[in-house]
Amino acid sequence: VTLLDGMANKEVATATVVGGNFELKTTLASTGVYVVSFKGTKTQIPLFVGNDKLIMDGDVNAPKEIVYQGSPSQDLYQFYMKKLDPLMSAYFGSLGAAQAEKEATKKDSIGKQAELQSQSIIAEYVSTSKLNNQSPVTTFFLFQMANIFPAVKETLTDYYAALEGDAKKGTFADA
């Protein structure tokens, strides 16, 4: 099992699985995105952790069903993902459909649908971020939103100004 720094794609810890269990030990420079990967599988599990004692319980072959305990950052990361992932999937589906559509009226209609979906995603981020404006997880999602949506990128300083404390420290705050 390997723990990778998700931004630098650098190995930060390794362990051997014994009897279905493993323990990765390391000291992380900051709370951020890390990825657990398993030799012999394509499974990669994204985590948002710092120097927490995170317990993962589940099956590597069913990563969406893994239960996490011990990391408030991972809990918040999963909360954001649960809210944003279905909206993002629909949005990217609409973008793909608009790109593939040849007929101008249909293409325009799908484009308008994608625009409404993007507004819904941004609104969901804003409402969640207001409740969690001191978490680096919120800064990570702001970083993601700014890379996807021009409307967020154009007013990034306003979004950043709403952050406080640890949300203004670390990799994503500097990005």
Side-chain angles (χ1 to χ4, degrees), residues 76 79-80 83 125-134 138:
L76 182 57
F79 183 75
Y80 268 107
K83 288 183 159 279
Y125 166 78
V126 168
S127 67
T128 305
S129 70
K130 284 180 181 175
L131 300 172
N132 302 285
N133 71 334
Q134 295 189 16
T138 297

Side-chain angles (χ1 to χ4, degrees), residues 108-121:
D108 187 49
S109 175
I110 297 169
K112 286 178 182 169
Q113 178 182 353
E115 177 58 31
L116 290 173
Q117 288 168 323
S118 74
Q119 290 170 9
S120 177
I121 293 165

Side-chain angles (χ1 to χ4, degrees), residues 7-33:
M7 293 301 288
N9 200 28
K10 184 177 98 179
E11 185 178 292
V12 294
T14 61
T16 302
V17 177
V18 178
N21 296 312
F22 64 91
E23 186 173 347
L24 291 163
K25 289 185 176 184
T26 189
T27 301
L28 302 172
S30 64
T31 301
V33 176

Side-chain angles (χ1 to χ4, degrees), residues 15 37 61 70 87 89 91-92 103 137-138 141 144 150 157 173:
S37 63
N61 297 311
L87 299 173
S89 293
Y91 170 73
F92 285 120
E103 204 274 302
V137 177
T138 297
F141 279 98
Q144 297 295 313
T157 54

